[in-house]
Protein backbone atom coordinates (compact mmCIF):
# COMPACT_ATOMS: atom_id res chain seq x y z
CA UNK A 1 0.00 0.00 0.00
CA UNK A 2 1.23 3.51 -0.74
CA UNK A 3 2.45 5.59 2.18
CA UNK A 4 0.24 8.61 2.75
CA UNK A 5 1.58 9.57 6.19
CA UNK A 6 2.21 13.29 6.62
CA UNK A 7 -0.71 14.24 4.41
CA UNK A 8 -3.56 16.35 5.77
CA UNK A 9 -7.07 16.14 4.33
CA UNK A 10 -9.93 18.47 5.27
CA UNK A 11 -13.48 17.13 5.41
CA UNK A 12 -16.44 19.50 5.17
CA UNK A 13 -18.21 18.83 8.47
CA UNK A 14 -21.55 20.62 8.38
CA UNK A 15 -23.86 17.60 8.24
CA UNK A 16 -23.90 14.27 6.44
CA UNK A 17 -21.46 11.37 6.74
CA UNK A 18 -18.18 13.24 7.25
CA UNK A 19 -17.17 10.90 10.11
CA UNK A 20 -17.13 7.88 7.78
CA UNK A 21 -14.70 9.67 5.45
CA UNK A 22 -12.50 10.60 8.42
CA UNK A 23 -12.38 6.98 9.61
CA UNK A 24 -11.42 5.68 6.18
CA UNK A 25 -8.73 8.33 5.61
CA UNK A 26 -7.28 7.81 9.09
CA UNK A 27 -7.08 4.06 8.40
CA UNK A 28 -4.83 5.01 5.46
CA UNK A 29 -2.49 6.93 7.79
CA UNK A 30 -3.69 10.42 6.90
CA UNK A 31 -4.36 13.29 9.29
CA UNK A 32 -7.90 14.65 8.90
CA UNK A 33 -9.38 17.97 9.93
CA UNK A 34 -13.07 18.93 10.13
CA UNK A 35 -13.68 21.96 7.93
CA UNK A 36 -16.25 24.50 9.11
CA UNK A 37 -14.40 27.76 8.42
CA UNK A 38 -12.13 29.10 5.67
CA UNK A 39 -9.15 28.95 8.07
CA UNK A 40 -9.68 25.20 8.56
CA UNK A 41 -8.50 24.70 4.97
CA UNK A 42 -4.99 26.00 5.77
CA UNK A 43 -2.31 23.40 5.16
CA UNK A 44 -4.69 20.83 3.69
CA UNK A 45 -3.55 18.80 0.68
CA UNK A 46 -7.14 18.01 -0.26
CA UNK A 47 -10.75 18.43 0.83
CA UNK A 48 -13.64 15.96 0.91
CA UNK A 49 -17.23 17.10 0.40
CA UNK A 50 -19.28 14.26 1.96
CA UNK A 51 -22.75 12.91 1.26
CA UNK A 52 -25.73 14.41 3.01
CA UNK A 53 -28.15 17.10 1.91
CA UNK A 54 -26.63 19.30 -0.76
CA UNK A 55 -29.05 22.24 -0.32
CA UNK A 56 -28.16 22.56 3.38
CA UNK A 57 -24.45 22.18 2.65
CA UNK A 58 -24.59 24.76 -0.16
CA UNK A 59 -26.24 27.32 2.11
CA UNK A 60 -23.53 26.79 4.73
CA UNK A 61 -20.72 27.13 2.15
CA UNK A 62 -22.19 30.41 0.94
CA UNK A 63 -22.74 31.83 4.44
CA UNK A 64 -19.24 30.95 5.69
CA UNK A 65 -17.27 32.11 2.63
CA UNK A 66 -16.29 28.51 1.98
CA UNK A 67 -17.94 28.54 -1.45
CA UNK A 68 -15.31 30.97 -2.78
CA UNK A 69 -12.54 29.44 -0.63
CA UNK A 70 -13.04 25.91 -2.01
CA UNK A 71 -13.05 27.27 -5.57
CA UNK A 72 -9.78 29.08 -4.78
CA UNK A 73 -8.30 25.97 -3.12
CA UNK A 74 -9.06 23.91 -6.22
CA UNK A 75 -7.78 26.63 -8.56
CA UNK A 76 -4.47 26.54 -6.68
CA UNK A 77 -4.21 22.77 -7.32
CA UNK A 78 -5.73 21.39 -4.09
CA UNK A 79 -7.45 18.04 -4.61
CA UNK A 80 -11.23 18.00 -4.12
CA UNK A 81 -13.38 14.85 -3.71
CA UNK A 82 -17.19 15.01 -3.59
CA UNK A 83 -19.40 12.01 -2.81
CA UNK A 84 -23.13 12.07 -3.56
CA UNK A 85 -24.32 15.46 -2.19
CA UNK A 86 -20.67 16.53 -2.53
CA UNK A 87 -20.72 15.52 -6.21
CA UNK A 88 -23.84 17.66 -6.65
CA UNK A 89 -21.97 20.63 -5.16
CA UNK A 90 -19.08 20.13 -7.63
CA UNK A 91 -21.17 20.07 -10.83
CA UNK A 92 -21.37 22.87 -13.36
CA UNK A 93 -25.16 22.42 -13.58
CA UNK A 94 -27.69 20.94 -11.11
CA UNK A 95 -31.23 19.90 -12.06
CA UNK A 96 -34.33 18.68 -10.20
CA UNK A 97 -34.49 21.21 -8.67
CA UNK A 98 -31.89 23.63 -9.97
CA UNK A 99 -29.45 25.08 -7.44
CA UNK A 100 -26.15 26.90 -7.38
CA UNK A 101 -22.96 24.83 -7.44
CA UNK A 102 -19.17 25.19 -7.35
CA UNK A 103 -18.74 24.40 -11.04
CA UNK A 104 -15.46 22.53 -10.54
CA UNK A 105 -16.47 19.41 -12.49
CA UNK A 106 -17.84 19.84 -15.97
CA UNK A 107 -21.02 17.76 -15.63
CA UNK A 108 -24.79 18.05 -15.45
CA UNK A 109 -26.36 16.19 -12.50
CA UNK A 110 -29.96 15.25 -11.77
CA UNK A 111 -30.61 15.13 -8.01
CA UNK A 112 -32.28 11.97 -6.66
CA UNK A 113 -31.93 10.71 -10.22
CA UNK A 114 -32.38 7.00 -9.51
CA UNK A 115 -35.96 7.54 -8.29
CA UNK A 116 -37.66 6.35 -5.10
CA UNK A 117 -37.58 2.56 -5.62
CA UNK A 118 -33.93 2.41 -6.61
CA UNK A 119 -33.03 5.17 -4.17
CA UNK A 120 -30.76 3.08 -1.96
CA UNK A 121 -29.01 0.00 -3.26
CA UNK A 122 -25.63 -1.69 -3.66
CA UNK A 123 -24.06 -2.68 -6.98
CA UNK A 124 -20.69 -4.08 -8.02
CA UNK A 125 -19.38 -2.51 -11.21
CA UNK A 126 -16.12 -2.49 -13.17
CA UNK A 127 -13.81 0.46 -12.61
CA UNK A 128 -10.59 1.72 -14.14
CA UNK A 129 -9.02 1.82 -10.65
CA UNK A 130 -8.63 -1.94 -10.07
CA UNK A 131 -9.23 -5.32 -11.68
CA UNK A 132 -12.06 -6.46 -9.41
CA UNK A 133 -15.54 -4.85 -9.53
CA UNK A 134 -16.03 -1.93 -7.14
CA UNK A 135 -18.76 -1.92 -4.47
CA UNK A 136 -21.05 1.09 -4.98
CA UNK A 137 -23.53 2.06 -2.25
CA UNK A 138 -26.20 4.42 -3.58
CA UNK A 139 -28.32 6.50 -1.18
CA UNK A 140 -30.71 8.85 -2.99
CA UNK A 141 -27.79 9.65 -5.26
CA UNK A 142 -27.73 11.95 -8.28
CA UNK A 143 -27.45 10.75 -11.86
CA UNK A 144 -24.65 12.26 -13.91
CA UNK A 145 -26.53 13.09 -17.11
CA UNK A 146 -23.56 14.25 -19.15
CA UNK A 147 -19.90 15.17 -18.77
CA UNK A 148 -17.60 17.58 -20.59
CA UNK A 149 -14.70 16.54 -22.85
CA UNK A 150 -12.05 16.92 -20.11
CA UNK A 151 -13.84 14.59 -17.68
CA UNK A 152 -12.54 11.00 -17.33
CA UNK A 153 -15.23 8.43 -16.54
CA UNK A 154 -13.65 5.92 -14.11
CA UNK A 155 -16.80 3.85 -13.49
CA UNK A 156 -20.43 3.59 -14.54
CA UNK A 157 -23.71 2.05 -13.44
CA UNK A 158 -26.66 1.43 -15.79
CA UNK A 159 -24.94 3.34 -18.57
CA UNK A 160 -24.35 6.50 -16.49
CA UNK A 161 -21.04 7.70 -15.05
CA UNK A 162 -20.74 7.16 -11.28
CA UNK A 163 -17.07 8.02 -10.69
CA UNK A 164 -15.50 10.87 -12.64
CA UNK A 165 -12.29 12.87 -12.55
CA UNK A 166 -11.28 16.21 -14.03
CA UNK A 167 -7.68 17.18 -13.20
CA UNK A 168 -7.51 17.52 -9.40
CA UNK A 169 -11.26 17.03 -8.84
CA UNK A 170 -12.95 13.66 -8.20
CA UNK A 171 -16.69 12.96 -7.85
CA UNK A 172 -18.64 9.82 -6.96
CA UNK A 173 -22.44 9.51 -6.99
CA UNK A 174 -22.10 6.59 -4.53
CA UNK A 175 -20.52 6.23 -1.07
CA UNK A 176 -17.10 4.51 -1.07
CA UNK A 177 -16.65 5.64 2.56
CA UNK A 178 -19.45 3.26 3.62
CA UNK A 179 -17.62 0.16 2.38
CA UNK A 180 -14.46 -1.62 3.55
CA UNK A 181 -12.80 -0.94 0.17
CA UNK A 182 -10.39 2.03 0.22
CA UNK A 183 -9.64 1.99 -3.54
CA UNK A 184 -11.36 5.30 -4.34
CA UNK A 185 -9.90 7.11 -1.31
CA UNK A 186 -6.41 5.84 -2.20
CA UNK A 187 -6.89 7.21 -5.70
CA UNK A 188 -7.90 10.57 -4.23
CA UNK A 189 -4.86 10.59 -1.94
CA UNK A 190 -2.58 9.94 -4.92
CA UNK A 191 -4.20 12.97 -6.62
CA UNK A 192 -3.59 15.06 -3.48
CA UNK A 193 -0.02 13.73 -3.13
CA UNK A 194 0.80 14.79 -6.70
CA UNK A 195 -0.11 18.32 -5.68
CA UNK A 196 2.03 18.18 -2.51
CA UNK A 197 5.04 17.09 -4.56
CA UNK A 198 4.54 20.01 -6.94
CA UNK A 199 4.28 22.41 -4.00
CA UNK A 200 7.53 21.05 -2.53
CA UNK A 201 9.36 21.41 -5.84
CA UNK A 202 8.20 25.02 -6.10
CA UNK A 203 9.76 25.89 -2.72
N1 LIG B 1 -30.29 13.45 -2.25
C1 LIG B 1 -29.24 14.22 -1.64
C2 LIG B 1 -29.15 15.60 -2.29
O1 LIG B 1 -29.77 15.84 -3.28
C3 LIG B 1 -27.91 13.50 -1.78
C4 LIG B 1 -27.96 12.19 -1.02
C5 LIG B 1 -26.65 11.73 -0.45
O2 LIG B 1 -25.67 12.47 -0.36
N2 LIG B 1 -26.63 10.49 -0.03
O3 LIG B 1 -28.47 16.47 -1.81
Amino acid sequence: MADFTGMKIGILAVQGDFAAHAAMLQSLGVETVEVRTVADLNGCDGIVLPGGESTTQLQFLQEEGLFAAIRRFSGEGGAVFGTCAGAILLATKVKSPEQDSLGLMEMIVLRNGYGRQLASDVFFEPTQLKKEPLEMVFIRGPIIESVGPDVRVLAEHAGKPTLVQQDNVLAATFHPELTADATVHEHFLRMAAARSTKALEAR
Side-chain angles (χ1 to χ4, degrees), residues 15-17 49-57 83-89 94-97 99 110-113 119-120 137-142 172-175 177-178:
Q15 58 87 235
D17 74 334
L49 308 179
E53 170 47 53
S54 60
T55 310
T56 310
Q57 295 180 357
T83 55
C84 208
I88 296 169
L89 292 174
V94 178
K95 299 202 309 202
S96 166
Q99 69 185 20
L110 190 63
R111 289 180 64 191
N112 300 308
S120 303
V137 177
F138 291 90
I139 306 172
R140 297 186 310 283
T173 59
F174 56 97
H175 292 270
E177 74 283 5
L178 298 182

mmCIF file of all heavy atoms in Angstrom, residues 15-17 49-57 83-89 94-97 99 110-113 119-120 137-142 172-175 177-178, ligand 1:
data_model
loop_
_atom_site.group_PDB
_atom_site.id
_atom_site.type_symbol
_atom_site.label_atom_id
_atom_site.label_comp_id
_atom_site.label_asym_id
_atom_site.label_seq_id
_atom_site.Cartn_x
_atom_site.Cartn_y
_atom_site.Cartn_z
ATOM 1 N N GLN A 15 -22.915 18.682 7.979
ATOM 2 C CA GLN A 15 -23.859 17.602 8.244
ATOM 3 C C GLN A 15 -23.522 16.507 7.246
ATOM 4 O O GLN A 15 -22.646 16.672 6.413
ATOM 5 C CB GLN A 15 -25.312 18.070 8.149
ATOM 6 C CG GLN A 15 -25.725 18.674 6.834
ATOM 7 C CD GLN A 15 -26.214 17.647 5.811
ATOM 8 O OE1 GLN A 15 -25.693 17.599 4.723
ATOM 9 N NE2 GLN A 15 -27.174 16.816 6.185
ATOM 10 N N GLY A 16 -24.191 15.368 7.356
ATOM 11 C CA GLY A 16 -23.897 14.272 6.437
ATOM 12 C C GLY A 16 -22.860 13.342 7.037
ATOM 13 O O GLY A 16 -22.549 13.414 8.232
ATOM 14 N N ASP A 17 -22.279 12.463 6.187
ATOM 15 C CA ASP A 17 -21.456 11.374 6.736
ATOM 16 C C ASP A 17 -19.958 11.690 6.704
ATOM 17 O O ASP A 17 -19.150 10.892 6.254
ATOM 18 C CB ASP A 17 -21.802 10.049 6.043
ATOM 19 C CG ASP A 17 -21.253 9.950 4.633
ATOM 20 O OD1 ASP A 17 -21.044 11.014 4.003
ATOM 21 O OD2 ASP A 17 -21.032 8.822 4.166
ATOM 22 N N LEU A 49 -15.863 16.604 0.212
ATOM 23 C CA LEU A 49 -17.230 17.097 0.401
ATOM 24 C C LEU A 49 -18.114 15.852 0.528
ATOM 25 O O LEU A 49 -18.317 15.136 -0.450
ATOM 26 C CB LEU A 49 -17.665 17.948 -0.806
ATOM 27 C CG LEU A 49 -16.703 19.078 -1.218
ATOM 28 C CD1 LEU A 49 -17.240 19.819 -2.449
ATOM 29 C CD2 LEU A 49 -16.510 20.056 -0.066
ATOM 30 N N PRO A 50 -18.616 15.544 1.727
ATOM 31 C CA PRO A 50 -19.284 14.256 1.964
ATOM 32 C C PRO A 50 -20.725 14.232 1.458
ATOM 33 O O PRO A 50 -21.275 15.255 1.044
ATOM 34 C CB PRO A 50 -19.254 14.151 3.484
ATOM 35 C CG PRO A 50 -19.346 15.556 3.942
ATOM 36 C CD PRO A 50 -18.597 16.387 2.922
ATOM 37 N N GLY A 51 -21.327 13.039 1.574
ATOM 38 C CA GLY A 51 -22.752 12.912 1.264
ATOM 39 C C GLY A 51 -23.578 13.552 2.357
ATOM 40 O O GLY A 51 -23.086 13.846 3.446
ATOM 41 N N GLY A 52 -24.829 13.764 2.055
ATOM 42 C CA GLY A 52 -25.735 14.406 3.009
ATOM 43 C C GLY A 52 -26.842 15.093 2.239
ATOM 44 O O GLY A 52 -27.431 14.510 1.333
ATOM 45 N N GLU A 53 -27.075 16.329 2.561
ATOM 46 C CA GLU A 53 -28.153 17.100 1.911
ATOM 47 C C GLU A 53 -27.501 18.325 1.267
ATOM 48 O O GLU A 53 -27.070 19.249 1.953
ATOM 49 C CB GLU A 53 -29.192 17.461 2.989
ATOM 50 C CG GLU A 53 -30.239 18.423 2.582
ATOM 51 C CD GLU A 53 -30.871 18.109 1.235
ATOM 52 O OE1 GLU A 53 -31.333 16.964 1.054
ATOM 53 O OE2 GLU A 53 -30.874 19.012 0.366
ATOM 54 N N SER A 54 -27.439 18.297 -0.065
ATOM 55 C CA SER A 54 -26.634 19.300 -0.764
ATOM 56 C C SER A 54 -27.167 20.728 -0.591
ATOM 57 O O SER A 54 -26.383 21.674 -0.562
ATOM 58 C CB SER A 54 -26.510 18.943 -2.246
ATOM 59 O OG SER A 54 -27.771 18.895 -2.852
ATOM 60 N N THR A 55 -28.495 20.885 -0.451
ATOM 61 C CA THR A 55 -29.052 22.243 -0.317
ATOM 62 C C THR A 55 -28.590 22.874 0.998
ATOM 63 O O THR A 55 -28.198 24.042 1.047
ATOM 64 C CB THR A 55 -30.596 22.203 -0.365
ATOM 65 O OG1 THR A 55 -30.986 21.434 -1.507
ATOM 66 C CG2 THR A 55 -31.181 23.592 -0.488
ATOM 67 N N THR A 56 -28.607 22.082 2.065
ATOM 68 C CA THR A 56 -28.159 22.561 3.378
ATOM 69 C C THR A 56 -26.672 22.887 3.335
ATOM 70 O O THR A 56 -26.223 23.920 3.844
ATOM 71 C CB THR A 56 -28.389 21.463 4.445
ATOM 72 O OG1 THR A 56 -29.726 20.999 4.316
ATOM 73 C CG2 THR A 56 -28.152 21.979 5.836
ATOM 74 N N GLN A 57 -25.895 21.986 2.722
ATOM 75 C CA GLN A 57 -24.446 22.180 2.653
ATOM 76 C C GLN A 57 -24.106 23.426 1.837
ATOM 77 O O GLN A 57 -23.232 24.209 2.214
ATOM 78 C CB GLN A 57 -23.776 20.941 2.051
ATOM 79 C CG GLN A 57 -23.938 19.706 2.927
ATOM 80 C CD GLN A 57 -23.267 18.472 2.331
ATOM 81 O OE1 GLN A 57 -22.727 18.525 1.243
ATOM 82 N NE2 GLN A 57 -23.316 17.371 3.056
ATOM 83 N N THR A 83 -18.594 13.230 -2.683
ATOM 84 C CA THR A 83 -19.403 12.014 -2.812
ATOM 85 C C THR A 83 -20.870 12.389 -2.669
ATOM 86 O O THR A 83 -21.260 13.069 -1.724
ATOM 87 C CB THR A 83 -19.045 10.966 -1.736
ATOM 88 O OG1 THR A 83 -19.160 11.540 -0.442
ATOM 89 C CG2 THR A 83 -17.626 10.461 -1.911
ATOM 90 N N CYS A 84 -21.670 11.926 -3.596
ATOM 91 C CA CYS A 84 -23.134 12.066 -3.562
ATOM 92 C C CYS A 84 -23.549 13.543 -3.463
ATOM 93 O O CYS A 84 -23.413 14.257 -4.435
ATOM 94 C CB CYS A 84 -23.691 11.200 -2.438
ATOM 95 S SG CYS A 84 -25.364 10.663 -2.794
ATOM 96 N N ALA A 85 -24.003 14.030 -2.303
ATOM 97 C CA ALA A 85 -24.319 15.460 -2.189
ATOM 98 C C ALA A 85 -23.094 16.297 -2.569
ATOM 99 O O ALA A 85 -23.227 17.354 -3.201
ATOM 100 C CB ALA A 85 -24.773 15.790 -0.777
ATOM 101 N N GLY A 86 -21.910 15.818 -2.199
ATOM 102 C CA GLY A 86 -20.673 16.526 -2.532
ATOM 103 C C GLY A 86 -20.448 16.595 -4.039
ATOM 104 O O GLY A 86 -19.955 17.598 -4.561
ATOM 105 N N ALA A 87 -20.828 15.528 -4.741
ATOM 106 C CA ALA A 87 -20.721 15.521 -6.205
ATOM 107 C C ALA A 87 -21.680 16.550 -6.801
ATOM 108 O O ALA A 87 -21.349 17.234 -7.779
ATOM 109 C CB ALA A 87 -21.020 14.122 -6.752
ATOM 110 N N ILE A 88 -22.854 16.665 -6.188
ATOM 111 C CA ILE A 88 -23.839 17.660 -6.653
ATOM 112 C C ILE A 88 -23.242 19.064 -6.509
ATOM 113 O O ILE A 88 -23.353 19.897 -7.417
ATOM 114 C CB ILE A 88 -25.160 17.530 -5.846
ATOM 115 C CG1 ILE A 88 -25.808 16.171 -6.107
ATOM 116 C CG2 ILE A 88 -26.118 18.679 -6.179
ATOM 117 C CD1 ILE A 88 -26.963 15.821 -5.175
ATOM 118 N N LEU A 89 -22.576 19.304 -5.386
ATOM 119 C CA LEU A 89 -21.969 20.628 -5.155
ATOM 120 C C LEU A 89 -20.882 20.943 -6.178
ATOM 121 O O LEU A 89 -20.634 22.098 -6.500
ATOM 122 C CB LEU A 89 -21.361 20.699 -3.746
ATOM 123 C CG LEU A 89 -22.348 20.665 -2.579
ATOM 124 C CD1 LEU A 89 -21.599 20.594 -1.262
ATOM 125 C CD2 LEU A 89 -23.257 21.893 -2.601
ATOM 126 N N VAL A 94 -26.892 21.831 -11.953
ATOM 127 C CA VAL A 94 -27.692 20.938 -11.106
ATOM 128 C C VAL A 94 -29.158 21.069 -11.508
ATOM 129 O O VAL A 94 -29.674 22.166 -11.645
ATOM 130 C CB VAL A 94 -27.528 21.311 -9.612
ATOM 131 C CG1 VAL A 94 -28.395 20.417 -8.729
ATOM 132 C CG2 VAL A 94 -26.060 21.221 -9.183
ATOM 133 N N LYS A 95 -29.821 19.909 -11.682
ATOM 134 C CA LYS A 95 -31.229 19.903 -12.057
ATOM 135 C C LYS A 95 -32.059 19.137 -11.015
ATOM 136 O O LYS A 95 -31.523 18.301 -10.288
ATOM 137 C CB LYS A 95 -31.405 19.227 -13.423
ATOM 138 C CG LYS A 95 -30.655 19.969 -14.520
ATOM 139 C CD LYS A 95 -31.101 19.762 -15.932
ATOM 140 C CE LYS A 95 -31.278 18.476 -16.522
ATOM 141 N NZ LYS A 95 -31.215 18.429 -17.992
ATOM 142 N N SER A 96 -33.344 19.448 -10.964
ATOM 143 C CA SER A 96 -34.328 18.685 -10.197
ATOM 144 C C SER A 96 -34.160 18.747 -8.682
ATOM 145 O O SER A 96 -33.939 17.714 -8.061
ATOM 146 C CB SER A 96 -34.295 17.235 -10.706
ATOM 147 O OG SER A 96 -34.939 16.354 -9.875
ATOM 148 N N PRO A 97 -34.365 19.890 -8.036
ATOM 149 C CA PRO A 97 -34.491 21.208 -8.666
ATOM 150 C C PRO A 97 -33.113 21.841 -8.903
ATOM 151 O O PRO A 97 -32.121 21.372 -8.360
ATOM 152 C CB PRO A 97 -35.262 21.999 -7.600
ATOM 153 C CG PRO A 97 -34.818 21.403 -6.310
ATOM 154 C CD PRO A 97 -34.529 19.950 -6.586
ATOM 155 N N GLN A 99 -30.058 24.312 -8.527
ATOM 156 C CA GLN A 99 -29.453 25.082 -7.435
ATOM 157 C C GLN A 99 -28.036 25.455 -7.827
ATOM 158 O O GLN A 99 -27.458 24.876 -8.747
ATOM 159 C CB GLN A 99 -29.504 24.322 -6.109
ATOM 160 C CG GLN A 99 -28.617 23.097 -6.031
ATOM 161 C CD GLN A 99 -28.798 22.314 -4.720
ATOM 162 O OE1 GLN A 99 -29.799 22.436 -4.024
ATOM 163 N NE2 GLN A 99 -27.826 21.504 -4.378
ATOM 164 N N LEU A 110 -28.521 15.269 -12.052
ATOM 165 C CA LEU A 110 -29.956 15.246 -11.768
ATOM 166 C C LEU A 110 -30.095 14.708 -10.348
ATOM 167 O O LEU A 110 -29.784 13.536 -10.078
ATOM 168 C CB LEU A 110 -30.601 14.285 -12.762
ATOM 169 C CG LEU A 110 -32.103 14.204 -12.883
ATOM 170 C CD1 LEU A 110 -32.656 15.532 -13.365
ATOM 171 C CD2 LEU A 110 -32.448 13.090 -13.875
ATOM 172 N N ARG A 111 -30.504 15.564 -9.420
ATOM 173 C CA ARG A 111 -30.607 15.125 -8.008
ATOM 174 C C ARG A 111 -31.639 14.016 -7.866
ATOM 175 O O ARG A 111 -32.662 13.997 -8.542
ATOM 176 C CB ARG A 111 -30.994 16.303 -7.118
ATOM 177 C CG ARG A 111 -29.875 17.303 -6.974
ATOM 178 C CD ARG A 111 -30.281 18.455 -6.089
ATOM 179 N NE ARG A 111 -30.559 18.025 -4.722
ATOM 180 C CZ ARG A 111 -31.133 18.803 -3.803
ATOM 181 N NH1 ARG A 111 -31.510 20.023 -4.115
ATOM 182 N NH2 ARG A 111 -31.333 18.360 -2.580
ATOM 183 N N ASN A 112 -31.393 13.109 -6.932
ATOM 184 C CA ASN A 112 -32.283 11.965 -6.664
ATOM 185 C C ASN A 112 -32.656 11.247 -7.962
ATOM 186 O O ASN A 112 -33.790 10.793 -8.128
ATOM 187 C CB ASN A 112 -33.544 12.435 -5.924
ATOM 188 C CG ASN A 112 -33.182 13.093 -4.594
ATOM 189 O OD1 ASN A 112 -32.455 12.527 -3.790
ATOM 190 N ND2 ASN A 112 -33.638 14.312 -4.386
ATOM 191 N N GLY A 113 -31.675 11.142 -8.851
ATOM 192 C CA GLY A 113 -31.935 10.706 -10.219
ATOM 193 C C GLY A 113 -32.377 9.263 -10.354
ATOM 194 O O GLY A 113 -33.003 8.899 -11.354
ATOM 195 N N ALA A 119 -33.720 4.098 -4.876
ATOM 196 C CA ALA A 119 -33.027 5.167 -4.171
ATOM 197 C C ALA A 119 -31.777 4.670 -3.456
ATOM 198 O O ALA A 119 -30.724 5.282 -3.533
ATOM 199 C CB ALA A 119 -33.968 5.825 -3.183
ATOM 200 N N SER A 120 -31.893 3.549 -2.751
ATOM 201 C CA SER A 120 -30.763 3.079 -1.964
ATOM 202 C C SER A 120 -30.505 1.628 -2.298
ATOM 203 O O SER A 120 -31.358 0.769 -2.090
ATOM 204 C CB SER A 120 -31.056 3.241 -0.479
ATOM 205 O OG SER A 120 -31.353 4.590 -0.214
ATOM 206 N N VAL A 137 -22.342 1.903 -3.103
ATOM 207 C CA VAL A 137 -23.526 2.064 -2.253
ATOM 208 C C VAL A 137 -24.225 3.365 -2.673
ATOM 209 O O VAL A 137 -23.650 4.447 -2.551
ATOM 210 C CB VAL A 137 -23.128 2.158 -0.761
ATOM 211 C CG1 VAL A 137 -24.356 2.394 0.113
ATOM 212 C CG2 VAL A 137 -22.370 0.913 -0.322
ATOM 213 N N PHE A 138 -25.446 3.229 -3.166
ATOM 214 C CA PHE A 138 -26.202 4.420 -3.582
ATOM 215 C C PHE A 138 -27.253 4.758 -2.523
ATOM 216 O O PHE A 138 -27.993 3.878 -2.073
ATOM 217 C CB PHE A 138 -26.917 4.164 -4.917
ATOM 218 C CG PHE A 138 -25.982 4.044 -6.083
ATOM 219 C CD1 PHE A 138 -25.459 2.809 -6.447
ATOM 220 C CD2 PHE A 138 -25.600 5.163 -6.817
ATOM 221 C CE1 PHE A 138 -24.582 2.689 -7.522
ATOM 222 C CE2 PHE A 138 -24.723 5.053 -7.884
ATOM 223 C CZ PHE A 138 -24.217 3.811 -8.246
ATOM 224 N N ILE A 139 -27.296 6.037 -2.128
ATOM 225 C CA ILE A 139 -28.322 6.499 -1.184
ATOM 226 C C ILE A 139 -28.913 7.799 -1.741
ATOM 227 O O ILE A 139 -28.310 8.864 -1.629
ATOM 228 C CB ILE A 139 -27.738 6.749 0.226
ATOM 229 C CG1 ILE A 139 -27.008 5.500 0.740
ATOM 230 C CG2 ILE A 139 -28.849 7.167 1.194
ATOM 231 C CD1 ILE A 139 -26.246 5.724 2.043
ATOM 232 N N ARG A 140 -30.050 7.694 -2.363
ATOM 233 C CA ARG A 140 -30.713 8.855 -2.994
ATOM 234 C C ARG A 140 -29.689 9.692 -3.781
ATOM 235 O O ARG A 140 -29.652 10.913 -3.695
ATOM 236 C CB ARG A 140 -31.414 9.725 -1.934
ATOM 237 C CG ARG A 140 -32.537 9.005 -1.198
ATOM 238 C CD ARG A 140 -33.311 9.905 -0.251
ATOM 239 N NE ARG A 140 -32.445 10.672 0.635
ATOM 240 C CZ ARG A 140 -31.832 10.174 1.717
ATOM 241 N NH1 ARG A 140 -32.003 8.914 2.045
ATOM 242 N NH2 ARG A 140 -31.071 10.937 2.456
ATOM 243 N N GLY A 141 -28.889 8.995 -4.545
ATOM 244 C CA GLY A 141 -27.794 9.650 -5.262
ATOM 245 C C GLY A 141 -28.266 10.366 -6.526
ATOM 246 O O GLY A 141 -29.347 10.090 -7.051
ATOM 247 N N PRO A 142 -27.430 11.278 -7.019
ATOM 248 C CA PRO A 142 -27.730 11.950 -8.283
ATOM 249 C C PRO A 142 -27.331 11.070 -9.475
ATOM 250 O O PRO A 142 -26.492 10.176 -9.335
ATOM 251 C CB PRO A 142 -26.847 13.185 -8.225
ATOM 252 C CG PRO A 142 -25.647 12.736 -7.436
ATOM 253 C CD PRO A 142 -26.158 11.736 -6.422
ATOM 254 N N ALA A 172 -17.965 11.119 -6.949
ATOM 255 C CA ALA A 172 -18.643 9.821 -6.965
ATOM 256 C C ALA A 172 -20.109 10.036 -6.604
ATOM 257 O O ALA A 172 -20.405 10.775 -5.659
ATOM 258 C CB ALA A 172 -17.993 8.867 -5.962
ATOM 259 N N THR A 173 -21.005 9.388 -7.335
ATOM 260 C CA THR A 173 -22.436 9.515 -6.995
ATOM 261 C C THR A 173 -22.830 8.479 -5.945
ATOM 262 O O THR A 173 -23.955 8.432 -5.508
ATOM 263 C CB THR A 173 -23.321 9.340 -8.245
ATOM 264 O OG1 THR A 173 -23.054 8.042 -8.811
ATOM 265 C CG2 THR A 173 -23.045 10.415 -9.273
ATOM 266 N N PHE A 174 -21.865 7.619 -5.552
ATOM 267 C CA PHE A 174 -22.100 6.595 -4.535
ATOM 268 C C PHE A 174 -21.235 6.912 -3.310
ATOM 269 O O PHE A 174 -20.616 7.980 -3.243
ATOM 270 C CB PHE A 174 -21.800 5.205 -5.116
ATOM 271 C CG PHE A 174 -20.412 5.058 -5.670
ATOM 272 C CD1 PHE A 174 -19.399 4.500 -4.916
ATOM 273 C CD2 PHE A 174 -20.097 5.509 -6.953
ATOM 274 C CE1 PHE A 174 -18.107 4.371 -5.411
ATOM 275 C CE2 PHE A 174 -18.806 5.391 -7.465
ATOM 276 C CZ PHE A 174 -17.814 4.830 -6.692
ATOM 277 N N HIS A 175 -21.191 5.969 -2.355
ATOM 278 C CA HIS A 175 -20.517 6.227 -1.072
ATOM 279 C C HIS A 175 -19.392 5.231 -0.798
ATOM 280 O O HIS A 175 -19.585 4.281 -0.036
ATOM 281 C CB HIS A 175 -21.535 6.140 0.071
ATOM 282 C CG HIS A 175 -22.540 7.240 0.068
ATOM 283 N ND1 HIS A 175 -22.346 8.434 0.727
ATOM 284 C CD2 HIS A 175 -23.750 7.344 -0.537
ATOM 285 C CE1 HIS A 175 -23.383 9.219 0.537
ATOM 286 N NE2 HIS A 175 -24.259 8.587 -0.225
ATOM 287 N N GLU A 177 -17.020 5.568 1.129
ATOM 288 C CA GLU A 177 -16.653 5.643 2.564
ATOM 289 C C GLU A 177 -17.505 4.706 3.417
ATOM 290 O O GLU A 177 -17.199 4.486 4.582
ATOM 291 C CB GLU A 177 -16.770 7.097 3.055
ATOM 292 C CG GLU A 177 -18.180 7.635 3.271
ATOM 293 C CD GLU A 177 -18.901 7.996 1.967
ATOM 294 O OE1 GLU A 177 -18.346 7.742 0.883
ATOM 295 O OE2 GLU A 177 -20.029 8.513 2.050
ATOM 296 N N LEU A 178 -18.584 4.166 2.853
ATOM 297 C CA LEU A 178 -19.454 3.265 3.619
ATOM 298 C C LEU A 178 -19.150 1.795 3.329
ATOM 299 O O LEU A 178 -19.919 0.914 3.714
ATOM 300 C CB LEU A 178 -20.929 3.567 3.316
ATOM 301 C CG LEU A 178 -21.398 4.969 3.702
ATOM 302 C CD1 LEU A 178 -22.888 5.146 3.410
ATOM 303 C CD2 LEU A 178 -21.126 5.254 5.183
HETATM 304 N N1 LIG B 1 -30.290 13.450 -2.246
HETATM 305 C C1 LIG B 1 -29.238 14.223 -1.645
HETATM 306 C C2 LIG B 1 -29.154 15.605 -2.291
HETATM 307 O O1 LIG B 1 -29.767 15.841 -3.281
HETATM 308 C C3 LIG B 1 -27.912 13.496 -1.776
HETATM 309 C C4 LIG B 1 -27.964 12.191 -1.019
HETATM 310 C C5 LIG B 1 -26.652 11.730 -0.454
HETATM 311 O O2 LIG B 1 -25.672 12.469 -0.364
HETATM 312 N N2 LIG B 1 -26.634 10.494 -0.032
HETATM 313 O O3 LIG B 1 -28.470 16.473 -1.810
#
